[in-house]
Amino acid sequence: MSPVVTTAAALALLTVGYALGTREAGPRLLSWAESAVTPGWKTWKFWPAAPVVLIALAWIWAVHPRRTLANVRAWRQPPPRSPALTFDPEWADKRCAAAREDG
């Protein structure tokens, strides 16, 4: 291959990559796939969207395995409970004393 053809091919690939990067085709495709898979497998959109979601999950698992496992572990944890409410038996006396000081 001549250097001119190689340079032209490289520039064409860079141009295509730039165009795809600026259009953000990946996030749009994943957004569409997520919305198509969410209703369930009985819709016709599920079947073309399921492979897209599976490929995205495999990519995430391959690229960020530790982060993915940490997220799964965090999702499985029960939500933290807030502390129990406590009742101050002298709240009425404190309120009356504060009203007397103000008034």
Side-chain angles (χ1 to χ4, degrees):
M1 229 186 243
S2 71
V4 174
V5 174
T6 305
T7 305
L11 285 174
L13 285 174
L14 286 173
T15 304
V16 168
Y18 177 76
L20 289 176
T22 56
R23 292 221 168 239
E24 297 182 358
R28 286 184 186 175
L29 180 66
L30 287 176
S31 177
W32 169 81
E34 182 182 4
S35 64
V37 170
T38 302
W41 64 273
K42 292 184 179 182
T43 62
W44 68 272
K45 289 182 182 180
F46 176 85
W47 299 109
V52 174
V53 172
L54 291 176
I55 290 169
L57 288 174
W59 174 260
I60 290 171
W61 191 269
V63 175
H64 302 289
R66 288 186 178 174
R67 189 180 319 161
T68 306
L69 285 174
N71 289 344
V72 169
R73 288 187 195 111
W75 295 333
R76 289 183 180 166
Q77 292 294 322
R81 295 183 63 180
S82 60
L85 296 175
T86 57
F87 178 72
D88 184 9
E90 299 173 1
W91 70 272
D93 296 335
K94 291 178 184 176
R95 184 172 177 179
C96 290
R100 273 186 248 130
E101 290 175 4
D102 291 341

